[in-house]
Amino acid sequence: LYYWFKDKYKDKWNRMAPARDIDMDMILPVAEMLKTGISIDTVELARLSKEISKQTETMLETINTNWGINPASPAQVLDTLHSLGFNVEGTGETILKKTNHPFAKAVLDWRRNSKLETTYTTKIPDWMDNNNRLHCNLHLASTVTGRMTSSKPNMQNIPPLVRPCFQSVFDDDGILMTVDASQSELRCLAYLAKSKYLIDSYNKGIDMHTLVSNMTNIARKDAKTLNFAYVYGASEFRLQQELIRVGQSQYQAKQSTRKYLQSMEKIGIADYQKKLLTFADKYGYNYSIYGRIGERLNPTQVVNFPVQSFSADLNKIRIIQMYSKLREHNLLSRIWLEFHDAMELDVYKPELDTILKLIKEIDTTIPDLENNNIKLDLPLDIKYDRKNWS
């Protein structure tokens, strides 16, 4: 892959160097994650599998009894929706969620449970080794932003219901710990947009959700919904739909969105996104701050790419630092997974105090790579309580 990139991007090779160095330094940590794997609580997995299977059968019987169809057939689901008076063209999740009828909810519930069965509870045993450990595939360079992915199973999308099936390889002598960067993408956005409003707010201990809520008189939970949608490039219409989805009326959603967009203009985020779109439209690509290249991106991806990429690379840097510290101190505890803006640790209990001390040594300031004289912290939230992943 290294030489493929070198041949394809000869004119951009030097610019890509920081991201390339990060990925090369991640090879050993990822190799160890793959080799060691994570233990599976087979008792909990069997219990969960039995429970989900029973629920799925009950749901299927209910659908068959009330509507006389097989929910696995999109054609039958669509015909039933039409017979109930819904003029829809498909049976996708988005359409069913908007369909206010018990039938639509029943199909969604059945699909959710069926996916849990077919993707996780019945599949995980096939992927375990003889020691009941799971060694999922970890993909270091599979996304344009640099965020890692995984397969067999997709660990970055593990449903909360399934997480307790994963446990420490140290059994009762172990604890699974999550070290998560607090609002990483939003803080990265503040830096990249050079938003004085947002940077000052975070430095005073006020997050973006609260800042926007205070500026617009929108409830904090609604401001949070809008913030994350906006960072991912949502249009004005999409922002309104997100608010309607969480309970606002169409009129309320329209008014809230209008005030929200005005606040984005005021704090400089809207102007930052416009500059990204202008650059991408002119050159056909965007750079991340560490030199990753985003080509042929749609407008939504253009505005999200540098933010997610910056956040993902900072997480990789933290993993590289922590991995070096673990080796330096010759500890049994290890990093077992990269998870969005977090690293997941499998901690040997006698080493817990040492691990907590080492985490505090990690630099949590956002690096001022553009020399803008910006000081912004990226604090780490540490969560742990038991040997299972919760």
Side-chain angles (χ1 to χ4, degrees), residues 312-330:
D313 279 332
L314 289 179
N315 196 40
K316 284 182 175 179
I317 290 170
R318 288 190 295 272
I319 288 174
I320 292 165
Q321 290 177 358
M322 191 64 189
Y323 177 74
S324 296
K325 293 178 184 296
L326 293 172
R327 296 187 76 187
E328 179 185 341
H329 289 78
N330 197 28

Side-chain angles (χ1 to χ4, degrees), residues 2-283:
Y2 176 97
Y3 291 109
W4 181 85
F5 272 107
K6 188 173 183 178
D7 182 62
K8 182 176 180 180
Y9 296 107
K10 293 176 182 177
D11 59 327
K12 302 178 177 68
W13 186 244
N14 291 334
R15 180 72 180 268
M16 298 166 66
R20 182 168 64 249
D21 291 343
I22 291 170
D23 284 347
M24 296 299 284
D25 288 343
M26 276 291 288
I27 290 176
L28 279 177
V30 171
E32 186 166 312
M33 294 179 206
L34 282 165
K35 179 184 177 182
T36 312
I38 192 69
S39 286
I40 300 298
D41 186 336
T42 55
V43 174
E44 175 62 18
L45 180 62
R47 183 202 66 77
L48 181 63
S49 181
K50 184 177 180 180
E51 177 184 313
I52 291 175
S53 179
K54 186 176 180 179
Q55 289 175 351
T56 305
E57 288 178 10
T58 300
M59 292 172 181
L60 183 60
E61 289 176 6
T62 300
I63 293 173
N64 286 333
T65 300
N66 293 339
W67 295 284
I69 70 153
N70 177 8
S73 167
Q76 292 184 33
V77 172
L78 185 60
D79 287 343
T80 303
L81 288 171
H82 288 166
S83 70
L84 293 170
F86 294 99
N87 185 23
V88 294
E89 297 181 357
T91 64
E93 182 179 359
T94 302
I95 292 175
L96 291 178
K97 282 184 176 180
K98 292 179 180 178
T99 305
N100 186 20
H101 194 278
F103 171 71
K105 184 180 184 305
V107 173
L108 283 171
D109 289 344
W110 177 84
R111 285 181 181 176
R112 184 190 68 246
N113 265 47
S114 294
K115 184 175 182 179
L116 285 173
E117 276 193 285
T118 57
T119 307
Y120 299 106
T121 59
T122 60
K123 282 287 188 179
I124 287 176
D126 296 336
W127 297 324
M128 295 185 324
D129 64 17
N130 293 331
N131 296 314
N132 294 332
R133 288 196 188 183
L134 179 72
H135 305 266
C136 70
N137 295 329
L138 293 171
H139 312 296
L140 179 56
S142 64
T143 66
V144 67
T145 63
R147 176 178 277 187
M148 283 181 59
T149 61
S150 57
S151 59
K152 293 186 177 181
N154 179 357
M155 295 298 296
Q156 278 80 7
N157 199 34
I158 291 287
L161 192 66
V162 181
R163 284 194 190 186
C165 296
F166 297 83
Q167 68 174 23
S168 171
V169 300
F170 305 112
D171 199 30
D172 289 336
D173 289 327
I175 299 172
L176 294 189
M177 175 186 292
T178 297
V179 182
D180 188 17
S182 175
Q183 296 190 17
S184 179
E185 290 194 4
L186 298 181
R187 291 173 189 267
C188 288
L189 172 65
Y191 177 87
L192 293 172
K194 305 178 188 65
S195 170
K196 187 176 186 305
Y197 270 99
L198 199 47
I199 292 167
D200 289 347
S201 179
Y202 271 119
N203 285 334
K204 292 175 182 176
I206 302 171
D207 66 19
M208 185 173 176
H209 309 319
T210 302
L211 172 67
V212 171
S213 176
N214 293 339
M215 290 178 67
T216 60
N217 200 28
I218 298 173
R220 187 182 184 279
K221 64 179 181 63
D222 292 335
K224 183 177 181 179
T225 297
L226 291 170
N227 283 335
F228 284 120
Y230 192 75
V231 169
Y232 278 84
S235 64
E236 182 174 355
F237 174 77
R238 171 69 186 281
L239 292 173
Q240 291 179 25
Q241 293 304 305
E242 287 295 313
L243 290 178
I244 291 171
R245 183 180 61 82
V246 296
Q248 285 200 13
S249 68
Q250 188 168 351
Y251 175 78
Q252 287 175 320
K254 187 174 182 179
Q255 295 301 309
S256 295
T257 300
R258 179 180 58 80
K259 290 189 289 185
Y260 177 80
L261 292 175
Q262 288 174 349
S263 73
M264 292 300 100
E265 292 280 355
K266 185 173 182 179
I267 66 177
I269 305 301
D271 185 57
Y272 164 69
Q273 291 192 345
K274 288 174 185 175
K275 289 178 180 177
L276 291 175
L277 292 166
T278 300
F279 185 94
D281 185 59
K282 182 177 181 179
Y283 297 102

